Structure formats: structure tokens, C-alpha cells
Amino acid sequence: MNETKDNTVRVVFISLLLDLLAFTMILPLLPALLDHYKEIEKEHGLYSTIMYRMKSIQIFFDAPDKVSTVLFGGFLGSMYSFLQFLGSPIIGALSDIYGRKPLMLLCLIGISLSYLLWALSANFGIFVLARFVGGISKGNISLAMAIISDVTSPKMRGKAMALVGIAFSIGFVVGPMIGAFFAWISSNNREGTWYVIPALFALFLALSDLFFVNYYLKESLSLKHRATTLAKGLSGAISYINPVDLFQFNGVLNLNRQDQQDLKILGRAYFIYLFIYSGLEFTLTFLTHHTFGFTSMQQGWMFLGIGLIMAVLQGGWVRHIPPNKTKTISELGLWLIIPAFICIGVASNVQVLCIGIFLFAVSTAMVVTCVMTLVTRIGPEHQKGVITGIFRSLGALARACGPIVASSGEFK
């Protein structure tokens, strides 16, 4: 039995890694993609319409030209996270009824379709549709956490959850490097459909993930632990996407008062942390470019350093934290974000900036893994899918709001 559980955790780790490599490789390509659609639409189409609105905002606030580009990227990135916010809790709740594997396969099919649409995106409208399909299908990450919760004991759950963090760290280090490689290849040839090759490579990774999960993943939620109904009709479905209900965890049934209170506290802390985190994550490239003159290569080394710090900490320390220390470490990580932001905010030289970025990476490695470990210890087994789905949705909502609020600061 333990061998089966260990194998399931390994399958989830590999699946997440394949997914995140495909997801993050587009990041270095986005500027070139936006330039491509701007060029081919020639003042007509969805891209030009959105940019016209951005320019109107820029003129109204008498802001510099860079603001329209910052806001455009902010809104495009926020759209993807907002769709995750809508989809994750509902997918998690459905998995509590129908099982984890069928919903996981459905998500991976949707993600594969999004990369196919990207490869076929002859205009910006199709590209946005690809991002839409990808965002709404991104419930596979909350399902991965639910699967790990299904097959691990509370004592071993922290170690298994740390693998999720390691997959994220590796994905956000290697994925952009793959994207940068494709950007370098296409740097001298931006004519025609240059984006098709990286899109097809992302599709290859997504299909590999789909077939891998279909063949190797075993259903982790037994029939006796499954929920019988999604909720009470339409009102129950709305409770999974209504922010008020999400913060109250009204979509989770059969919770005692203490468990619900614990989830509320963790949910609010998680939302606030990721709201602040995503705002810094999005604006950090603009800060380093405009204030310190970082080139794209220097920014690549910066994110490589952040990812390596997180991967080393999560792989060598966080995953071995004793269960009784998880809460303490998560609180320490929350406190560390304060000096991190102060150092980054007041930095007048690269040395102080690096100290802030180092604290930022350490804090992230501690908080996300430890908080999710605490979450998976709360509530009945047949509600783990909806609980992790709600937390994933709260995180997606924070990531949807954070970049917009942070990029709005450019007006000042």
C-alpha cells in the first residue's frame, strides 16, 4: 500500500512538472507575441481595440507611455488567474463526487486544446481564446493537491506537499529557459507564424502529460469517501465562485466550528500573501529594468536565482519539517515578507535589492508549502477536493487582483 501511495505522489510530481514546463515557457515569448499581433492587426482587431482603451487611460491620468504596456500585460495575466479562480473550486468539488482521475484528464485535455489553439492563433482573438481555455482548465493543480491529500497520512503530507513546491520551482526555472531558447531561435525571424514551433512543443508536453496520467495515475478517492451531491442546486454552485462564500468556506459541508474557523484564517492569510506576492512578482521586472537598467538576460539570472533558492529550500529543508512545526514555519515565512518588501522598496543599489529578493524567495518557499500542508489536515476526507479547490481559487483571485493593483501604481 505504501508503495502504491509513493508511486501516486511520484506520478503527480511528474505530471505537475510537465504541465508547469509548458505553462512557463510562454513567459519570455509574451513581449514578442504582443508585438507580433500588434504588427499583423494594423490598427484593426481585438489587440488594437484593447490598446486603444489602455491609451485612453494613460492620457486621462497623464501617465508615461510605458504605462499602457504595463497595464496591458497586467490585465492579460490577470485574466488567466481569474479564470482559474472560477474553475478550480468547481473542478475540485466535482472530483469529490466523480473521482480525481476523470477530472484530472478533463483538465489536461482542456490544457492541450489551449496550446493547439495557440499554434493556430492567426490573430490576437484566437490567442486570447487559447488563454481562456487554458485558464478555465487549470484545476489540475488543485486536483494534484487533493490527490496527495488522499494518499498520504498527516505525518507524511508535508513532505509530499513540498514536492508540489519543488515542481513549481523547477518549472519556473527551466520553463522560461526553454521559452528563451525559442525566443533566441526566432529573434532573427519574426515573420509569419514563428510562434507555431514553441506552441507545438508546449502541446507535445501537454499531450505527454495527458497520456502519462491516463496510463499511470490510479484513482485516489475510494467510493466510500466520495461526496454524493455537488451542493444544493444553483445556490450551491454559486457558493464555489462567490468571493464572500469562498472566504467563508460555505461550499464545504460537515465542518465543525473549529475547522471552519481555521480554514477562514488560513484562507485570508493565503489570499493576502499571494495578493502581495503576485503584485511584486509582476512588477519586479519593470522595477529592475527602469531603476537598475537590468537587461532581459540579467532578469533571467534573477529569476533563475529565485527559483534555485526555492527549490533547494523546499527539497532539502521544508519537506522535512516535522508536522508540529509546520504552523510555526508558515508564520515565520509570513513575517519574512515584511523585510523583503522593505529592502526591495528602498533599494538604491543592487546589493540591497538582492537581499530583498533573497528574503522574498525564502519566504515563498516556506509559506506556500506549509500553508497548503495545514489546509490538507482540515476537514473530512470526502471534502478534500473542494477544500483544496477553494484555496486554489482564493490564490487565483489574489493573483488576478495583485498585478492590476500593482501595475496601477505606475500612474503615480
Side-chain angles (χ1 to χ4, degrees):
M1 184 66 176
N2 287 334
E3 183 180 350
T4 302
K5 291 180 178 180
D6 290 342
N7 184 63
T8 299
V9 172
R10 284 194 293 270
V11 170
V12 170
F13 173 77
I14 294 171
S15 173
L16 278 177
L17 189 56
L18 290 170
D19 174 67
L20 290 165
L21 288 174
F23 170 71
T24 57
M25 62 171 285
I26 194 176
L27 299 179
L29 299 171
L30 276 176
L33 282 168
L34 294 179
D35 288 342
H36 170 76
Y37 292 119
K38 178 181 179 180
E39 179 65 25
I40 66 172
E41 294 199 353
K42 300 289 186 182
E43 304 300 326
H44 299 286
L46 181 62
Y47 182 94
S48 297
T49 301
I50 296 175
M51 186 55 74
Y52 175 78
R53 299 298 181 188
M54 295 297 176
K55 288 286 186 182
S56 300
I57 297 173
Q58 173 198 336
I59 294 171
F60 179 80
F61 286 97
D62 192 24
D65 289 340
K66 66 179 182 179
V67 167
S68 58
T69 303
V70 175
L71 279 176
F72 192 95
F75 277 101
L76 189 61
S78 294
M79 181 198 75
Y80 195 91
S81 294
F82 181 74
L83 291 167
Q84 284 183 270
F85 156 70
L86 294 178
S88 289
I90 295 176
I91 290 171
L94 288 171
S95 78
D96 285 333
I97 301 172
Y98 301 107
R100 313 295 189 210
K101 186 173 181 177
L103 271 296
M104 178 68 84
L105 292 175
L106 183 63
C107 287
L108 295 179
I109 289 171
I111 291 169
S112 299
L113 177 61
S114 74
Y115 294 129
L116 177 61
L117 287 170
W118 176 24
L120 300 174
S121 57
N123 58 60
F124 187 64
I126 299 177
F127 178 73
V128 171
L129 177 61
R131 301 298 287 173
F132 181 94
V133 174
I136 206 71
S137 303
K138 209 60 179 171
N140 64 310
I141 296 177
S142 62
L143 287 177
M145 295 176 181
I147 291 169
I148 289 175
S149 178
D150 292 338
V151 301
T152 56
S153 64
K155 182 178 179 180
M156 299 301 295
R157 195 162 294 157
K159 184 176 181 180
M161 282 294 177
L163 289 175
V164 176
I166 294 170
F168 269 86
S169 299
I170 296 174
F172 276 84
V173 169
V174 179
M177 292 176 66
I178 297 173
F181 173 73
F182 283 114
W184 175 73
I185 290 177
S186 62
S187 60
N188 296 322
N189 181 25
R190 291 286 168 84
E191 302 294 331
T193 55
W194 60 269
Y195 55 85
V196 170
I197 294 177
L200 289 177
F201 186 75
L203 176 62
F204 167 74
L205 291 174
L207 289 175
S208 299
D209 191 8
L210 174 62
F211 289 118
F212 176 77
V213 167
N214 182 59
Y215 187 79
Y216 287 105
L217 183 66
K218 306 299 181 184
E219 177 57 55
S220 62
L221 186 64
S222 62
L223 291 174
K224 67 178 181 179
H225 287 140
R226 294 187 187 182
T228 56
T229 59
L230 178 62
K232 298 178 181 178
L234 180 61
S235 62
I238 292 175
S239 70
Y240 294 122
I241 57 176
N242 182 341
V244 176
D245 286 326
L246 283 175
F247 280 106
Q248 296 295 321
F249 287 84
N250 291 336
V252 186
L253 307 177
N254 304 320
L255 280 181
N256 61 51
R257 180 171 296 183
Q258 185 60 52
D259 281 352
Q260 188 168 36
Q261 185 62 29
D262 290 343
L263 284 175
K264 287 180 184 179
I265 293 172
L266 288 170
R268 291 164 187 170
Y270 189 64
F271 175 84
I272 294 171
Y273 181 84
L274 284 184
F275 176 84
I276 298 170
Y277 169 88
S278 62
L280 176 63
E281 182 184 47
F282 176 76
T283 57
L284 189 57
T285 53
F286 296 97
L287 169 69
T288 54
H289 176 70
H290 293 299
T291 303
F292 298 99
F294 276 24
T295 64
S296 297
M297 183 62 69
Q298 288 173 316
Q299 289 178 343
W301 284 111
M302 176 183 69
F303 283 109
L304 175 63
I306 292 173
L308 288 176
I309 291 168
M310 291 173 58
V312 169
L313 285 176
Q314 289 168 333
W317 174 54
V318 175
R319 67 193 300 252
H320 296 295
I321 293 173
N324 63 327
K325 298 291 185 182
T326 305
K327 181 174 180 290
T328 302
I329 297 301
S330 64
E331 291 173 349
L332 177 59
L334 290 170
W335 281 111
L336 275 180
I337 201 68
I338 298 174
F341 271 64
I342 291 174
C343 289
I344 293 172
V346 304
S348 58
N349 56 65
V350 175
Q351 288 75 23
V352 177
L353 177 69
C354 288
I355 293 172
I357 291 174
F358 174 78
L359 293 174
F360 174 69
V362 172
S363 170
T364 304
M366 296 163 66
V367 172
V368 175
T369 300
C370 289
V371 168
M372 288 310 302
T373 300
L374 292 172
V375 168
T376 56
R377 296 174 184 170
I378 301 174
E381 291 300 319
H382 66 277
Q383 294 277 283
K384 296 297 185 184
V386 67
I387 291 173
T388 56
I390 287 175
F391 261 84
R392 185 68 189 167
S393 188
L394 287 173
L397 181 60
R399 287 181 174 276
C401 298
I404 293 177
V405 173
S407 60
S408 298
E410 292 285 330
F411 288 120
K412 299 181 179 179

